[in-house]
Amino acid sequence: MALKKQKKSSLLNTKRKLIAKLSPKSPISEQYRTIRTNIQFSSVDRPLRSLMITSSGPAEGKSTTTANLAVVFAQQGKKVLLTDADLRKPTVHYTFGMMNTVGLTNVLSKQTTLTEAIQSSDVDNLDILASGPIPPNPAELLSSGSMENFLANVYERYDIVLFDTPPVTAVTDAQVLANQCDGTILVISSGSTENEQAIKAKDLLEASKTKLIGVVLNNKKMNNSQYYYYYGSK
């Protein structure tokens, strides 16, 4: 009985995280598609090839946002690679039910090839690169020459590469990676992210010379009338 409850809980948790895949017609999925459109309009002349998603602190929804954005970009027909660059507390492999024995850290340290490390997801056009074993020096790996080679290689294979990273105010990893990506999205959580933390995160990202595309407000409660009003249902 306990095992059944655990399995049911796990399925519900995955469904909540990957709503763009499992409930593509839901209002939340529509919001992710709106974010995708806004990202694409943010750089019309030079399409974004790499996008980093971070937050000011933990548990603000950056990993869920990253996974769902990867899904909606893939649903649009883009060839997408979702890379778990949170080398301290990786979660992407949990979200997609994959192994994390081989991943980004193995590729950067030249222990394996990119082809061997990439895993196919059950979403068309979406591949996953897990973090791999947790290294003692995440920031050094992300700022290495191997990271530059990695980006050059994935640009040859994919239309867009999304990076899930640690919170920007906690460690320097996100700042290190930010100036290597074409753009950055900051996720904040409605009702829990303090103003000072959000401002500090913005300042840190701007100091890294990244192109801060915008902010995603997560966990904002909306009633049905707010969503359907535009479509004239009331």
Side-chain angles (χ1 to χ4, degrees), residues 148-203:
E148 295 180 16
N149 294 333
F150 167 81
L151 285 169
N153 288 334
V154 294
Y155 287 159
E156 294 178 356
R157 303 184 185 198
Y158 296 93
D159 296 314
I160 185 166
V161 186
L162 274 66
F163 290 95
D164 185 18
T165 66
V168 69
T169 60
V171 290
T172 60
D173 304 14
Q175 282 184 278
V176 167
L177 187 59
N179 63 14
Q180 300 187 62
C181 293
D182 293 337
T184 296
I185 296 289
L186 177 64
V187 176
I188 62 176
S189 181
S190 175
S192 62
T193 303
E194 296 180 356
N195 291 343
E196 293 77 9
Q197 282 294 99
I199 293 171
K200 182 179 179 181
K202 173 179 173 291
D203 291 343

